[in-house]
Amino acid sequence: MTTPQDKIAMQLAAVGYVPDRELATALWLMESLKRPLLLEGEAGVGKTEVARALSLAHNTKLIRLQCYEGLDQSAALYEWNYQRQLLAIKTREGASADAVEEQIFSEKYLLERPLLAAIRQPVAPVLLIDEVDRADEEFEAFLLELLSDFQVSIPELGTITATTIPMVILTSNGTRELSDALRRRCLFHYVDFPEVDREARIIQSRLPNIDAALALEIANMVAHIRKEELRKTPGVAETLDWAATLVGLNIRHLRDEPEAVFDTLMCLIKTTEDKSRMSREVVDRLIGKVA
């Protein structure tokens, strides 16, 4: 019998994302309960990719709000097109102030930002609120209010209620602790680096022509590299870049081309400090573990 979690997992796999059962369950609950889903985990584990894959699986729009320190409502919700408003005022010189105000504070001059755009879509989109932990606590409080009611108040236009309820995914790298109120509002799932077998399947889903044995060796090698004391742990995207590079070099087994393996580690290693730690001797030792 196919469960709802199985169905979601198959839909995501069809667009190139291979989830584990816990994540598939979290996504099913998000859709069933109409609750936001908070995905927490290290950078590079594929949190953002979940939202992209979900939008592809549902054939709907992905709307992304990238959070950062100092993010405010105007950048996230809406702004007025001040330049066009000024031009409109100039063309209406001599008209009454009330008439001018009624004209310039209309939909024609409203600039939608991600949050407002997400609740006004005719088909429910996926709303990705990326790296919410980078935003200020004040913005988090505003976000909590929006996610509770899915409506916003624009003083010049009144209250705008959601046309459809978006599928909301929030991601956090854990750079600061999120409020209890926001956590209570959301479902929660911790995203870890994939286990070896699943990462091998991810590689095969993105590189259909890769040999299954090589995909497994690459996933094994990356898993061992992640256990080294590195400043920047390679993520899934780096794994895919490296796998594509090795395929492009026609490498069938890592043990056969240790020099090429070492030379192409720039796909995985992103700092000078980590490069010095991943010496040729270390790489040869790790290749020996996966050969």
Side-chain angles (χ1 to χ4, degrees), residues 72-177:
D72 58 16
Q73 293 188 32
S74 63
L77 191 59
Y78 74 94
E79 288 183 285
W80 291 107
N81 191 328
Y82 297 117
Q83 291 181 332
R84 290 193 63 193
Q85 285 177 321
L86 288 173
L87 288 174
I89 291 172
K90 287 182 178 295
T91 61
R92 291 174 173 81
E93 289 181 353
S96 68
D98 289 342
V100 173
E101 182 178 357
E102 185 177 346
Q103 287 295 319
I104 64 172
F105 288 110
S106 62
E107 288 275 354
K108 182 178 179 180
Y109 300 97
L110 184 68
L111 298 175
E112 289 184 341
R113 297 311 183 204
L115 296 182
L116 181 59
I119 67 172
R120 302 180 84 191
Q121 298 297 312
V123 177
V126 174
L127 171 60
L128 170 63
I129 303 174
D130 216 4
E131 298 183 313
V132 65
D133 52 318
R134 293 185 180 274
D136 301 325
E137 293 181 7
E138 292 79 5
F139 180 78
E140 186 182 321
F142 156 72
L143 188 61
L144 180 64
E145 182 180 358
L146 174 69
L147 295 179
S148 297
D149 301 327
F150 285 104
Q151 65 179 27
V152 296
S153 179
I154 299 178
E156 299 84 357
L157 297 179
T159 299
I160 297 178
T161 304
T163 305
T164 55
I165 303 299
M167 294 171 277
V168 183
I169 291 180
L170 303 92
T171 73
S172 170
N173 295 333
T175 57
R176 75 168 174 85
E177 184 59 40

Side-chain angles (χ1 to χ4, degrees), residues 30 34-38 147 150 167-170 185-188:
M30 176 195 73
K34 306 293 185 186
R35 295 280 295 278
L37 173 61
L38 172 61
L147 295 179
F150 285 104
M167 294 171 277
V168 183
I169 291 180
L170 303 92
R185 183 72 187 88
C186 301
L187 300 169
F188 174 79

Side-chain angles (χ1 to χ4, degrees), residues 229-270:
E229 294 183 3
L230 300 178
R231 180 181 172 187
K232 169 69 173 65
T233 305
V236 177
E238 284 86 2
T239 301
L240 294 171
D241 287 342
W242 192 44
T245 300
L246 296 177
V247 170
L249 293 173
N250 295 316
I251 292 175
R252 297 187 61 82
H253 295 286
L254 301 186
R255 64 177 181 272
D256 295 338
E257 301 284 351
E259 186 172 344
V261 170
F262 179 74
D263 289 343
T264 57
L265 280 185
M266 64 179 66
C267 295
L268 302 175
I269 306 303
K270 300 300 178 71

Side-chain angles (χ1 to χ4, degrees), residues 43-74:
V45 296
K47 303 183 297 295
T48 299
E49 191 66 15
V50 173
R52 187 197 69 83
L54 191 65
S55 69
L56 290 174
H58 285 279
N59 192 29
T60 192
K61 184 179 290 188
L62 172 64
I63 298 176
R64 178 178 180 177
L65 173 64
Q66 177 62 53
C67 297
Y68 54 87
E69 186 177 354
L71 176 65
D72 58 16
Q73 293 188 32
S74 63

Side-chain angles (χ1 to χ4, degrees), residues 42 193-196 219-234 269 277-278 282 285-286 289-290:
E42 292 187 44
F193 289 107
E195 64 279 5
V196 171
N220 256 308
M221 183 73 175
V222 174
H224 284 296
I225 290 174
R226 287 178 182 141
K227 293 176 183 177
E228 299 292 314
E229 294 183 3
L230 300 178
R231 180 181 172 187
K232 169 69 173 65
T233 305
I269 306 303
R277 289 180 176 177
M278 293 301 297
V282 171
R285 171 173 57 83
L286 297 182
K289 289 185 177 182
V290 303

